[in-house]
Amino acid sequence: MQITRPAHRVPGREATAAPSWPSYTPDKLGLNTTTTVDRRYAHKESGEDVFINDVARHPGTGMLTAVGTLPRAHRYFSDSVIDRYDALHLAEFMRQGVEVIAHTLLGVPLTHQFVLRTVDLRISEPAAAVSAEHAVIVFSEELVRRNGSSVPYAAAGPVHCVVDGRPLARCDGLVGFLAPETYSAMRGEDGRRRPEAPVGRVVPERPQRVGRRFPENVFIGQVTGPVREASCLLLPQTPPTFFDRPLDHYPGMMIAEGARQLAVLSFAEATGTPVDRVHTQDTALDFTSFAELDTPPALRIVSWVASETAGAGDAGAEITVVARQGARTTSTCTFRMSTCTENPSEGRLP
């Protein structure tokens, strides 16, 4: 089983051949791993949320690289007892790397807005335990889209994440770099009339049902309906991991995390799998419109397909969750869920 998408919705997939992975380590690339970059380049307010150490351009190969540390003791990213690489957390890490590269190597001004349109992330080694090694982000400069004046306005995949000279994950997708006036025109009246923080009141789901330990990391309200067609509302909250700067809409990755929590609950209860053994392998995200702050997005499972290859004790499924505000779809999130057969760890937080 694999997540499928129409080829035209995954820009850049055919663009470049795979690099020589063993050469992509921090030492061989000459990348610094002792300090982190200026938090402004990562669009973060807190230094603990900056995971990128250094970036570099490699003219001989045409590659752009960044090095960073995948979070192992973070209040949000490490709030799990499964010691495996997580698709959404890798997507966030790679997104941050691309933003830093855009500002520092491509000359994209700090005043520009980054708008994520699609993400299609696949993990090469789903059973690999989280390593203490630094991760290297790699993508070709040929995939940077420029206007007639050679000014970058977007970047497409594939972006690769490499650990210890081995490819860990590949992320195809599209992110736009928008000047303030372009972003303002895109948002129109919606961006000027909306509140500055999410509005509404929703009773949160219990952390134990969605694979979280800390209540502040629960992003969905109480779940209703048949387990394979379940629905809920996104919580109208401002977790600092996502609302670390003024925003005029719900961040796409926060909605994706809410959708994933609904999928985790559904998979665990439909298959009888303990929630602390549910692993998110691959993910495909499609952000079709902005989710405004005046109404909590409604999440609903629209597809639940069991893995054809899953055997006894190794359940799997592909679950698609749609986020809507009224009749308007804001995003579609598909997750490939699997069962960890080994015993869960004690978690990565003290």
Side-chain angles (χ1 to χ4, degrees), residues 274-285:
V275 72
D276 60 6
R277 292 178 182 267
V278 179
H279 179 227
T280 308
Q281 288 184 211
D282 303 336
T283 186
L285 312 175

Side-chain angles (χ1 to χ4, degrees), residues 42-222:
H43 295 189
K44 294 297 178 183
E45 290 297 324
S46 171
E48 70 176 2
D49 290 330
V50 178
F51 306 130
I52 306 301
N53 301 112
D54 196 12
V55 298
R57 174 184 273 112
H58 307 276
T61 62
M63 292 295 179
L64 304 171
T65 61
V67 65
T69 305
L70 291 163
R72 290 182 58 82
H74 190 277
R75 185 77 174 176
Y76 163 70
F77 287 105
S78 303
D79 183 16
S80 171
V81 295
I82 297 177
D83 198 24
R84 288 186 180 183
Y85 290 104
D86 177 274
L88 282 187
H89 297 171
L90 282 171
E92 175 67 16
F93 174 74
M94 295 165 79
R95 181 196 64 82
Q96 189 176 121
V98 170
E99 289 185 349
V100 175
I101 287 172
H103 288 310
T104 59
L105 299 181
L106 302 178
V108 176
L110 287 170
T111 55
H112 278 40
Q113 295 279 351
F114 283 56
V115 177
L116 193 61
R117 296 301 304 273
T118 60
V119 172
D120 184 0
L121 187 139
R122 307 187 183 202
I123 299 178
S124 305
E125 301 180 30
V130 177
S131 168
E133 299 289 333
H134 286 81
V136 174
I137 297 166
V138 185
F139 75 100
S140 171
E141 192 159 5
E142 292 182 357
L143 301 175
V144 178
R145 299 184 179 182
R146 302 174 185 270
N147 62 21
S149 301
S150 297
V151 176
Y153 67 88
V159 179
H160 300 275
C161 184
V162 185
V163 175
D164 196 25
R166 302 191 318 277
L168 172 66
R170 167 177 171 149
C171 186
D172 293 271
L174 179 66
V175 59
F177 317 139
L178 305 185
E181 59 274 16
T182 304
Y183 180 78
S184 179
M186 175 185 288
R187 294 292 283 124
E189 291 301 317
D190 285 337
R192 290 188 283 272
R193 294 177 177 173
R194 303 299 183 180
E196 296 180 354
V199 175
R201 185 177 183 278
V202 177
V203 178
E205 188 53 83
R206 291 183 290 114
Q208 297 82 1
R209 296 190 75 197
V210 300
R212 292 296 186 177
R213 290 177 292 170
F214 302 125
E216 64 266 29
N217 291 331
V218 175
F219 292 172
I220 62 174
Q222 293 181 347

